[in-house]
Amino acid sequence: QKEVEQDPGPLSVPEGAIVSLNCTYSNSAFQYFMWYRQYSRKGPELLMYTYSSGNKEDGRFTAQVDKSSKYISLFIRDSQPSDSATYLCAMSKAGTALIFGKGTTLSVSS
Amino acid sequence: EAQVTQNPRYLITVTGKKLTVTCSQNMNHEYMSWYRQDPGLGLRQIYYSMNVEVTDKGDVPEGYKVSRKEKRNFPLILESPSPNQTSLYFCASSLGLAGGYNEQFFGPGTRLTVL
């Protein structure tokens, strides 16, 4: 079993839809959870960061971590064409490098 | 502007011709890393460096070399490139791994094609 699993998609939604992106992981020692966004022909950029379990909201974006289920989610409300990108989950335990999911490609049509 | 720069951005070369991809960061970061990104395989770490003169292998180090003589620079060297090294390469840097929070800042990427 891979340490981090992420459905690669692609995922296509109409503008205004609610998008749910997910990752599962196997290592219960992971404590730091991130979502990166990567536009075409660009490097990934940090979008959301969560420590341990719980929710974090930033505008239209909400990150959730459920450590009991080893499951993290990113929700995008009122999705916009500018949200079209690849979203990568990443996680780590203290003192170690980030482990990335393979990324989910999202396309939001107007 | 705080950034990670890579050069070249695009490179087409032939099998066996040594090449170097440069990476530089201006954020005084201790940790630097190289990744390759391939369709269906995601980001895979090639090498990383915790600080000057300290480097270590990542998940896919075969066929690559790195050096960290200065804090800001972390070049990736392909001594004898092969077609299976055709990929999109990213350099990244962060403050370090201590404490766990490790936001990595990525460069713009280098698309390498080996014929």
Side-chain angles (χ1 to χ4, degrees):
Chain A
Q1 182 186 10
K2 295 195 183 299
E3 277 198 294
V4 179
E5 301 270 12
Q6 183 176 8
D7 186 340
L11 184 61
S12 294
V13 302
E15 183 176 355
I18 296 174
V19 176
S20 172
L21 304 169
N22 311 294
C23 287
T24 60
Y25 62 95
S26 58
N27 191 337
S28 58
F30 286 146
Q31 295 177 287
Y32 305 89
F33 303 92
M34 299 181 183
W35 286 95
Y36 281 77
R37 180 173 59 193
Q38 183 179 16
Y39 289 116
S40 181
R41 298 189 180 88
K42 301 281 189 182
E45 292 180 312
L46 181 66
L47 181 62
M48 298 283 286
Y49 160 71
T50 308
Y51 171 69
S52 195
S53 282
N55 294 0
K56 187 170 186 178
E57 190 172 319
D58 183 1
R60 296 184 294 110
F61 298 89
T62 299
Q64 285 186 353
V65 175
D66 183 346
K67 291 194 74 179
S68 61
S69 302
K70 299 193 185 72
Y71 189 87
I72 71 171
S73 301
L74 178 71
F75 296 96
I76 307 174
R77 291 184 300 279
D78 187 26
S79 56
Q80 302 294 309
S82 58
D83 296 328
S84 298
T86 297
Y87 292 81
L88 301 101
C89 63
M91 50 198 79
S92 68
K93 49 190 178 181
T96 65
L98 284 174
I99 307 295
F100 285 88
K102 292 183 180 180
T104 301
T105 299
L106 171 67
S107 176
V108 181
S109 55
S110 57
Chain B
E1 180 189 355
Q3 60 182 349
V4 178
T5 57
Q6 295 178 228
N7 283 292
R9 294 289 314 280
Y10 302 91
L11 180 59
I12 300 175
T13 189
V14 295
T15 298
K17 186 176 181 182
K18 181 179 178 180
L19 67 92
T20 299
V21 184
T22 64
C23 172
S24 182
Q25 50 92 6
N26 62 1
M27 295 170 278
N28 201 35
H29 284 168
E30 293 193 347
Y31 182 89
M32 297 187 74
S33 180
W34 275 103
Y35 296 88
R36 59 178 290 173
Q37 187 175 40
D38 302 287
L41 297 177
L43 277 171
R44 293 181 292 167
Q45 192 177 46
I46 302 170
Y47 268 94
Y48 65 94
S49 168
M50 301 286 282
N51 211 327
V52 176
E53 301 293 358
V54 180
T55 63
D56 209 344
K57 297 177 182 178
D59 298 319
V60 288
E62 294 77 20
Y64 304 94
K65 284 177 57 177
V66 293
S67 69
R68 187 93 181 273
K69 294 183 169 52
E70 304 167 281
K71 196 171 189 177
R72 63 182 293 132
N73 297 324
F74 191 42
L76 179 69
I77 303 157
L78 284 72
E79 295 268 2
S80 182
S82 62
N84 65 11
Q85 293 178 299
T86 293
S87 187
L88 180 58
Y89 291 87
F90 288 102
C91 180
S93 72
S94 72
L95 284 171
L97 299 185
Y101 180 70
N102 181 21
E103 178 186 357
Q104 294 203 32
F105 294 82
F106 285 81
T110 295
R111 183 164 293 282
L112 172 65
T113 301
V114 183
L115 302 175

